[in-house]
Amino acid sequence: MAAWTARELAIEYLWHLRNAHTSLLDIYAAAITTADRWKASARFYLDTASLFMTSCQASGEISRTTLDTLDDARRRLDECDKQYGAALDSLEEEDQRTRYFHFRKQRVEMHWQALHAIELEELVMNTDVAALEKVLHSLVYGSLTQEDKEELTPAHF
């Protein structure tokens, strides 16, 4: 596998952000629609309750029809409340999921010659960034295979 450049990694990350924001936007729009339904249901429930109270005060009796209408309005509000809670949970879950981005796992062959060519004491004392950059890809993305493990000796470590 060829080494990935910073540009390729940046493109992958930006692609992830674009997909994440598209998904969040869709879920956000659904949550807004659900919130609007909840608001309309709550308004209907409050208006029905007000009508019920007014009719009870005016007649001195409880109207069964108005009471049934109020119960239906409350049930609709409860259902809208559940849907709104689920929409918010979905939005929160998607938001948490999209916050974390993991680059694809890479595996590159270890460049043993380049690793052995580095003098660690000199690298540390002189802060030789150029020498470190030569082996950085192997150090970060290198993976020891079973064959590597069998061939390694204490001198390698």
Side-chain angles (χ1 to χ4, degrees):
M1 172 191 267
W4 284 29
T5 65
R7 182 178 180 191
E8 291 169 322
L9 292 174
I11 289 170
E12 182 180 2
Y13 179 68
L14 291 174
W15 185 257
H16 163 78
L17 284 180
R18 180 204 165 274
N19 289 339
H21 288 130
T22 300
S23 178
L24 277 173
L25 184 61
D26 292 342
I27 293 173
Y28 181 71
I32 289 174
T33 301
T34 305
D36 288 342
R37 278 192 297 243
W38 182 90
K39 190 166 58 171
S41 184
R43 175 55 50 205
F44 180 73
Y45 174 71
L46 292 173
D47 289 346
T48 304
S50 179
L51 178 65
F52 174 73
M53 295 300 290
T54 304
S55 72
C56 286
Q57 286 176 345
S59 68
E61 297 178 355
I62 296 177
S63 166
R64 185 69 191 162
T65 307
T66 310
L67 186 59
D68 289 342
T69 304
L70 182 61
D71 282 344
D72 288 341
R74 185 188 48 78
R75 276 192 286 279
R76 281 195 294 189
L77 179 58
D78 286 345
E79 184 58 35
C80 285
D81 192 53
K82 287 177 191 173
Q83 291 172 358
Y84 183 56
L88 290 179
D89 289 345
S90 176
L91 185 61
E92 178 66 25
E93 182 180 304
E94 184 66 14
D95 182 54
Q96 287 300 317
R97 188 186 69 75
T98 58
R99 285 181 189 270
Y100 301 104
F101 173 73
H102 302 285
F103 286 107
R104 287 184 232 158
K105 290 186 179 180
Q106 297 185 44
R107 183 189 178 289
V108 297
E109 296 295 323
M110 298 294 283
H111 295 119
W112 292 110
Q113 289 177 341
L115 288 171
H116 287 295
I118 290 184
E119 293 292 328
L120 288 178
E121 292 82 17
E122 186 178 322
L123 178 74
V124 172
M125 289 174 68
N126 298 329
T127 317
D128 190 356
V129 176
L132 184 60
E133 284 181 345
K134 288 179 185 176
V135 294
L136 188 60
H137 200 72
S138 285
L139 293 174
V140 173
Y141 299 111
S143 177
L144 296 177
T145 63
Q146 187 62 35
E147 297 83 34
D148 292 330
K149 290 178 191 174
E150 292 170 359
E151 294 178 14
L152 292 177
T153 65
H156 288 95
F157 297 104

